[in-house]
Amino acid sequence: MRHYPPGRSILTALPADILVHILDRLPDPSDRKAWRLVCREFLRADYLQRRSLRLLRHGSLPAILRRYGSLERLDLSACPRIDDSAIRAAFYGIRLHALRSVNLSRRSALRCFGLGFMVNACPALETVDLSYCSGVGDREMAALARAPLLRELNVTKCLGVTDVGLARVAVGCSKLERLDLKWCLEISDIGIDLLVKKCRALKDLDISYLKVTNASLQSISSLEKLEVLSMVACSLIDDTGLSYLENGNNCLRSINFSRCDSVSSVGFSSIIKAHSHLKKIYVGHCFPEVAPLFLRKLKDLENSLESIRLDGFHLSSSVLRTIGIHCTNLLEIGLGKCDGITDEGISELSSSCPRLRTVDLTCCRLITDSSLIAIANSCKKLQCLRLESCPGITEKGLGRIGDSCSHLAEIDLTDCGIDDEALKCLSKCCNLIELKLGLCPRITNEGLVYIGSNCKDLQVLDLYRCTGVGDDGLAAIGGGCRKLRKINICYCTQITDRGLEHLCGLDLLTDLEMREVVRVTGAGVTAVAVGCRSLVELDMKKCRSVDDPAGREAGASPRGVGGGYELALRAAWERLQKLKLPTWLSPLLSREVLQMLPDLAKVGEVLQMLPPGSPEAPPLD
């Protein structure tokens, strides 16, 4: 009989394939982390099993890529200071035949040299996300063109990309199926025409905010496999362009023409007539009222339509009744900022569409608890409810939502004026993931205790200007919501260092907004920066009470106020990718830290030094 040393499990003797099979049954990240720490055999099993990885620091990237040979998806979007030298060090001398997807979103320091190294090392590359990489232009697109198997590419707001760069990708990556060109303002009809001629397999195309004309839609209409087309705010496109789609060869399933202000309801009705299998229709802020012809055409989509957004329209109760009658299979409806929405209309709609999962009633100021009761009675599988600036709702309506909608995962109650009793009712929704309570000053610590006790899966919490919330409320959240990733406590003036200390144990917290939390000192800022090891975005503008004797005692700065900030910056510097500081802090920081600040901006990260009195950013979105 084989004997095992004390403290060593018999599991370590199992073959690697058995250990991998066991690891497959551990979906929770914390459990997988604990597994890796048991012994070397368990760690090797993780090397073999892991298919997806998201990094927060680039220093370990070279070693990780050499160990995890089975990686298929690599996310570097939260990893600061990714530039050509970091990519070269990571991908030099290796071939990652399994790696198919790389996310480099917002890594603005990356250039063609680094992208070329990555493409050469990943011969099976199929998906690349370069969205919001301000340094990406035509040369970088040329580097990507050497990935012949590329199927999905996102270059949203890569302002340097022109028709030339698009042409390079179109010629080199003819298998492209999904392409996002949103906000690439230098792309014209010429680039779109060449793209269509070379990439005949396109299924999903986003040309939102481009200055293209009807000529682009004439080209796009020939894409036989196109299913998803987004063209938000393409103001040069009108009904003539839509007629090309009406008579084209597409098999469209989803269209987004929001804010195309030259398009009429007549032109859009022609699209519906030609594509009877549409599942998603987004036409918000296009024309002021829904024409009868448009409503009649919706009947043709009775069996297929699942999502419709009509934001900004004037919609009467009779219109909502008609939509409900014709679209009984709806899963999502968007009515944000619509005039004329009343309890009667919502009641008619919800009773006809019991399958609704997402309802957006943002700024529908006429609705009351009656609407919530109607939704709760009919839509038992509701998952997302947006009620920002709906002052007529109270704990009565939210109580019915809490009792009936157990699947609710996201709710926005910004500027609704609710109180602790409403949160008590809402806490029955134990599957909540995202909760927005900004501009609700009547909420206190008591309400957050209800949330912390029952909503264990909460990941996003917005408490913007909830002035009744203090340290005990954060204690309840920090102790109960261990999966929290984002929290906004801007202008919560009762919060002190003790409150921030309760957030220090949140291992998954990545984003903290705390503008003008005036009672917080450098000690509190430092505690968060050191304790929240996943923190990558920190906004601490107008935190004027950082006198920080603790920081000075630690020797961080001999010049007073900067001490706490210095400890915070030093503790989190390797992972921070977004940092907002007040300008008055600059003279108080040490020379070493001041030298770091330009480095943060140099590699393309977001550094803001805002003067007092600057316009405030909106609540967490």
Side-chain angles (χ1 to χ4, degrees), residues 603-619:
V603 297
E605 315 303 340
V606 179
L607 170 66
Q608 292 188 4
M609 301 283 286
L610 298 182
S614 296
E616 297 306 324

Side-chain angles (χ1 to χ4, degrees), residues 206-208 217 229-234 237 242 256-258 260:
D206 192 337
I207 57 172
S208 298
L217 283 193
L229 177 61
S230 299
M231 38 180 281
V232 178
C234 291
I237 290 175
L242 297 189
N256 187 351
F257 293 166
S258 301
C260 291

Side-chain angles (χ1 to χ4, degrees), residues 411-429:
I411 187 167
D412 188 347
L413 296 168
T414 303
D415 195 23
C416 287
I418 61 169
D419 57 15
D420 294 337
E421 193 63 30
L423 288 190
K424 180 179 180 181
C425 299
L426 199 59
S427 66
K428 299 174 185 177
C429 301

Side-chain angles (χ1 to χ4, degrees), residues 54-56 76-82 105-107 510 534-538 572-580 600-601 603-607:
R54 183 174 186 264
L55 285 184
L56 299 179
L76 300 176
S77 62
C79 190
R81 298 161 187 71
I82 289 289
S105 177
R106 300 182 188 276
R107 303 305 94 207
T510 62
S534 298
L535 192 67
V536 295
E537 297 190 12
L538 177 62
W573 196 254
E574 282 300 315
R575 60 179 184 270
L576 277 177
Q577 58 176 298
K578 186 174 182 180
L579 178 63
K580 296 182 181 180
L600 184 62
V603 297
E605 315 303 340
V606 179
L607 170 66

